Amino acid sequence: MDLEDKSRREVLKGALGTGLLAASAATVPSLVLPVLAQGERLVPFTDVPDTFQVGPVRPGATHYLDTREITSYFTDNDDFYLVQHYGQPEIDNDSWRLKVTGLVDNALEFSLQDLMGGDVSEQQVGFECGGNGRRLFQGLIGNARWRGVSLANILEQAGIQAGAKEIVFFGADTAMEEIRGREVEKAFARSLSVEDAMRPENMLAFEMNGEALPHYHGKPVRLLVPGWYGVANVKWLTQIHVQNTRYMGRFMGRDYVTLKKEIVGGEERWVENSVTMMNLKSSIIRVTEMAGRYRIQGFVLNDGTPLRSIEVKVDDGPWERAEINPRSTKYSWKLFNYEWTNATPGEHTLISRVTDINGNVQLTPEQMPEKVSFWEDFVQFERTIRI
Ligand SMILES: Nc1nc2c(c(=O)[nH]1)N[C@H]1C(S)=C(S)[C@@H](COP(=O)(O)O)O[C@H]1N2
Ligand SMILES: [Mo]
């Protein structure tokens, strides 16, 4: 089953639960309503159907945020989105080992203690699923503080041999996959070129927001590739394998593969690409009102290239500068805020666009390449509200 099917089922299930939530809302509002300052209210988006509900985390299920409720810079571990394709394997910390194998001078094996005794560092990294988009109102996103050790350092200890081409990261989670009519057992895995793997920011993380990496997020250790879509961040990591061929497993070669029309040396062609670095993207997710003052908020995610500006446009008005949360770091998400001073009663369309320091502007729907797949939905995302 692919992510889209799963998510659609989630949405349906959520819709069925609506009555129950509404009934309890009267008595326990704090459980249902987002965190708001006193006197502040959420202005409803008219593009979000009343049936859209976000359920609690359930074992094995996809989980997404209600982006209208994002108020904190770091996402709680309990609410950080969840995507896993082969279930959530139980791993015992004491018997867990990470092997480094293949074209290396020294095959290595680490226990959790070994890794934690290394040179530990911390960084803020936000990411989204490559399948995130408008159908979940961008809910497959999160931002956290991670601690772990450098991947490059471990690969240097192992000593990558000449001729090595790719490094494959295997998770402990496996499933039977039918490939060409044959049932074969496959582990979740993703690969990086040697060059990409050696980027100094790549991390083997064992801590998330000050806590041991939670079971659902890949306990005890996951890979983090800052600036890349979530799929690169292999959870429940058990093996790192260096090889001299391209790794062509499902999540590199078949799923998380975008098919789009491109000009290739003057010829128009349909081209596949594996989902890698995050595209330049912003989205409005939340509008609040307090004492007649309106505030439009949203997020930006990209590959870590510094930003020049984020702008918001109301109806047919001019693009106006929004303010980026000054806490933002290179690979964190960037939350933005726009004070909408002259809001008038009625229906409005709101849109945001982000520009990086190289002058790249988030694409409009007209500028998006023709695509066959929902992967990499980074287009300017129009929202509608009623005041
Ligand atoms: N082992 C393993 N790692 C995985 C996956 C998986 O199915 N198995 N899913 C990937 C995908 S598609 C995403 S978007 C992120 C989600 O990470 P999170 O659940 O911690 O948010 O994990 C990635 N790592
Ligand atoms: Mo994903």
Side-chain angles (χ1 to χ4, degrees):
M1 185 189 315
D2 72 14
L3 172 71
E4 195 167 37
D5 293 335
K6 255 190 212 156
S7 305
R8 210 178 276 134
R9 214 178 46 191
E10 297 299 299
V11 172
L12 281 175
K13 274 198 187 146
L16 293 176
T18 309
L20 207 140
L21 274 174
S24 59
T27 47
V28 202
S30 62
L31 288 181
V32 182
L33 301 176
V35 185
L36 291 161
Q38 204 174 6
E40 191 180 33
R41 83 183 164 93
L42 265 190
V43 181
F45 285 110
T46 51
D47 58 5
V48 180
D50 292 341
T51 50
F52 181 78
Q53 285 284 342
V54 173
V57 167
R58 282 178 294 112
T62 302
H63 175 69
Y64 48 92
L65 307 187
D66 186 331
T67 50
R68 296 167 297 185
E69 301 188 10
I70 292 177
T71 52
S72 60
Y73 178 67
F74 290 122
T75 315
D76 282 351
N77 288 2
D78 295 341
D79 201 28
F80 200 103
Y81 88 89
L82 289 168
V83 172
Q84 50 283 309
H85 297 275
Y86 293 162
Q88 296 161 325
E90 287 284 352
I91 294 182
D92 170 51
N93 282 2
D94 293 334
S95 52
W96 176 85
R97 294 289 181 275
L98 174 64
K99 291 196 293 184
V100 184
T101 58
L103 290 175
V104 289
D105 296 333
N106 319 297
L108 299 174
E109 191 172 285
F110 295 90
S111 69
L112 185 55
Q113 264 63 39
D114 295 335
L115 278 191
M116 290 173 120
D119 202 354
V120 176
S121 63
E122 179 174 300
Q123 62 184 330
Q124 301 174 9
V125 180
F127 54 87
E128 69 169 344
C129 177
N132 195 26
R134 62 186 56 233
R135 81 209 137 85
L136 295 177
F137 304 99
Q138 314 294 351
L140 295 170
I141 55 174
N143 187 53
R145 204 158 47 82
W146 310 85
R147 275 166 73 81
V149 292
S150 149
L151 171 66
N153 191 266
I154 281 175
L155 293 174
E156 273 157 16
Q157 282 179 49
I160 295 176
Q161 294 183 341
K165 190 166 190 165
E166 287 209 349
I167 311 213
V168 192
F169 300 84
F170 290 96
D173 46 335
T174 62
M176 296 306 289
E177 287 271 1
E178 194 187 306
I179 305 175
R180 304 219 184 115
R182 171 86 191 262
E183 291 268 316
V184 293
E185 190 180 30
K186 296 286 283 179
F188 180 90
R190 283 276 301 187
S191 70
L192 293 172
S193 69
V194 172
E195 193 189 348
D196 286 337
M198 293 303 289
R199 288 167 70 226
E201 46 272 76
N202 295 337
M203 177 184 260
L204 303 182
F206 43 73
E207 226 182 88
M208 179 177 185
N209 290 325
E211 288 170 22
L213 188 66
H215 169 52
Y216 292 157
H217 293 288
K219 173 196 160 204
V221 174
R222 80 182 302 171
L223 174 65
L224 270 186
V225 185
W228 286 44
Y229 282 103
V231 68
N233 302 326
V234 178
K235 306 194 272 188
W236 309 288
L237 185 67
T238 56
Q239 186 180 5
I240 298 176
H241 186 73
V242 183
Q243 61 186 42
N244 62 0
T245 53
R246 204 150 55 85
Y247 175 75
M248 297 173 67
R250 172 175 159 194
F251 300 98
M252 291 300 294
R254 281 174 285 146
D255 282 349
Y256 291 86
V257 170
T258 301
L259 173 61
K260 62 178 187 290
K261 217 182 236 179
E262 269 182 3
I263 304 296
V264 180
E267 303 287 335
E268 192 174 82
R269 295 187 187 277
W270 285 98
V271 176
E272 291 92 351
N273 73 272
S274 181
V275 164
T276 58
M277 284 172 287
M278 285 189 283
N279 292 284
L280 185 62
K281 168 171 178 174
S282 75
S283 175
I284 290 168
I285 51 177
R286 180 179 164 83
V287 180
T288 58
E289 180 265 341
M290 188 153 77
R293 291 180 55 197
Y294 288 80
R295 188 171 264 194
I296 299 171
Q297 289 165 303
F299 73 89
V300 173
L301 282 169
N302 76 336
D303 61 3
T305 305
L307 305 181
R308 179 183 292 167
S309 67
I310 300 176
E311 296 158 296
V312 168
K313 187 164 85 142
V314 178
D315 302 323
D316 295 321
W319 286 104
E320 304 256 24
R321 281 271 194 155
E323 224 181 283
I324 302 175
N325 183 337
R327 286 181 74 171
S328 311
T329 59
K330 184 169 184 191
Y331 293 113
S332 74
W333 68 14
K334 282 98 188 151
L335 299 178
F336 67 83
N337 185 51
Y338 172 72
E339 301 289 334
W340 180 15
T341 46
N342 49 354
T344 51
E347 308 267 346
H348 297 283
T349 60
L350 310 176
I351 197 154
S352 66
R353 72 173 182 196
V354 53
T355 303
D356 71 18
I357 47 152
N358 301 321
N360 298 309
V361 185
Q362 183 180 5
L363 298 189
T364 65
E366 299 72 43
Q367 292 166 333
M368 278 293 276
E370 195 181 335
K371 277 204 304 176
V372 182
S373 58
F374 60 92
W375 307 115
E376 303 184 78
D377 182 2
F378 57 95
V379 71
Q380 290 180 23
F381 181 41
E382 187 174 277
R383 309 300 309 265
T384 54
I385 60 157
R386 184 180 305 118
I387 289 187

